[in-house]
Amino acid sequence: MERSLKNQVALITGASSGIGTGIAKAMAESGATIVVNHSSEHSLESAQTVANDIIKKGGKAITYQCDVSQETEVVNMFQDVVSQLGTVDILVNNAGIQKDAKFTEMTLDQWNAVINVNLTGQFLCAREAIKEFLRRGIDPAKSVACGKIIHISSVHEIIPWAGHVNYASSKGAIRMMMQSLAQEYGAQKIRVNSICPGAIQTPINTNAWNTPEALDSLLTLIPYNRIGTPEDIGNLAVFLASDLSDYITGASIFIDGGMTTFESFATGG
Ligand code: NAD
């Protein structure tokens, strides 16, 4: 049973920041060659920093600019990566955004922006990844599976979130996409799972942790009494991408310090 990700290519969307960076570094340490996807010129420098950090530690990484909500860009990214690195073995569908608003004030642009990146972006990348997995077939020297997809969802695929209806809707939909794909491609040995983080300290939720008051308030939701880190998510992603988790497909794995035990009921509700 292969524990490492040696000789496997892992394409991680939105890897120039936060959770994506944590996953990129963890998978590189496990031997994978990393494609550090970033969305625009603006994020090029941080993507290069992530790739350089990996290379300095003896790992392998390239950067690739692509807006995951744009079909042509996604198709080109997969074609270019396959011609440069031979294949893609692991897709981590991580890129995500928030555009929060009270529901009656939410614009169609805010709704579309979140759905386009968080849901359509994951659809486009998953489609291109599965086509490549099927073209390549199983390579037993690398893994017993034909390919692995990890969707980065959220506790908000099951916890409703007032003021964030577009975001919660995108994450709820990811659950059905993930399970339907696991069902459709299980026979071809393609594993598809979701990681559902609770509160992880990244730029997406700075307001939730950057003052002592905000952090105290956040911790009332977390039985384990600490905020999560991108490394926490990286460790789980490595496990889900490796053959150690070969019998796990179609699963949403919550990694949230107990947030989904609904802490407010700890004293009887
Ligand atoms: P982040 O803002 O640090 O990272 C988001 C990344 O997505 C950035 O690198 C950004 O450039 C990239 N991105 C945005 N639009 C893109 C596009 N169109 N194409 C390609 N890349 C794009 O935030 P994060 O917390 O690291 O978020 C990563 C994922 O984790 C998201 O899907 C988010 O919903 C999810 N998540 C985060 C938390 C948390 O507490 N931080 C909790 C649950 C789920």
Side-chain angles (χ1 to χ4, degrees):
M1 193 56 63
E2 189 51 74
R3 287 165 181 266
S4 86
L5 305 180
K6 209 168 42 169
N7 299 327
Q8 298 189 52
V9 175
L11 191 160
I12 302 162
T13 66
S16 58
S17 170
I19 289 174
T21 298
I23 295 173
K25 290 184 173 174
M27 287 194 172
E29 277 176 26
S30 295
T33 298
I34 308 299
V35 181
V36 180
N37 160 254
H38 64 102
S39 59
S40 64
E41 278 296 313
H42 183 66
S43 47
L44 174 62
E45 201 180 318
S46 37
Q48 280 171 340
T49 304
V50 175
N52 288 339
D53 287 351
I54 289 171
I55 291 163
K56 265 187 237 151
K57 288 191 165 172
K60 293 186 201 129
I62 62 166
T63 63
Y64 198 99
Q65 182 179 322
C66 159
D67 176 343
V68 297
S69 67
Q70 301 301 313
E71 183 172 26
T72 314
E73 292 188 32
V74 172
V75 170
N76 289 341
M77 173 169 69
F78 275 84
Q79 278 174 358
D80 289 347
V81 167
V82 170
S83 64
Q84 204 178 327
L85 300 174
T87 190
V88 172
D89 301 279
I90 299 158
L91 166 67
V92 183
N93 255 334
N94 166 75
I97 57 171
Q98 285 182 220
K99 300 270 179 202
D100 307 329
K102 191 169 156 34
F103 187 64
T104 48
E105 287 155 23
M106 186 174 286
T107 64
L108 182 58
D109 280 351
Q110 287 172 318
W111 171 268
N112 282 340
V114 169
I115 297 299
N116 288 346
V117 176
N118 295 18
L119 184 58
T120 307
Q122 294 213 7
F123 153 68
L124 290 170
C125 291
R127 189 188 66 188
E128 295 313 301
I130 290 175
K131 285 199 252 177
E132 170 54 20
F133 299 163
L134 295 174
R135 182 199 68 78
R136 172 186 25 83
I138 297 174
D139 179 350
K142 293 200 281 191
S143 172
V144 295
C146 183
K148 284 83 59 158
I149 295 179
I150 299 170
H151 296 278
I152 304 301
S153 179
S154 166
V155 290
H156 294 297
E157 75 167 44
I158 59 161
I159 302 181
W161 205 14
H164 310 256
V165 171
N166 46 1
Y167 184 85
S169 301
S170 73
K171 297 301 186 180
I174 285 170
R175 182 185 182 92
M176 277 297 124
M177 176 162 58
M178 177 277 292
Q179 290 185 315
S180 303
L181 289 178
Q183 210 180 53
E184 194 163 332
Y185 291 101
Q188 282 88 2
K189 304 280 279 173
I190 294 172
R191 292 195 296 112
V192 190
N193 293 291
S194 288
I195 291 178
C196 302
I200 311 300
Q201 190 164 351
T202 75
I204 211 174
N205 57 4
T206 309
N207 293 343
W209 51 261
N210 72 346
T211 64
E213 298 74 29
L215 186 59
D216 280 350
S217 161
L218 179 66
L219 292 179
T220 64
L221 301 173
I222 307 172
Y224 205 59
N225 208 36
R226 74 165 171 87
I227 191 166
T229 65
E231 292 73 29
D232 290 321
I233 309 299
N235 292 335
L236 176 56
V238 167
F239 170 70
L240 276 181
S242 82
D243 286 353
L244 285 178
S245 61
D246 189 55
Y247 204 46
I248 301 181
T249 193
S252 284
I253 302 194
F254 290 81
I255 172 163
D256 62 1
M259 188 181 263
T260 39
T261 66
F262 299 97
E263 173 73 355
S264 54
F265 283 83
T267 52

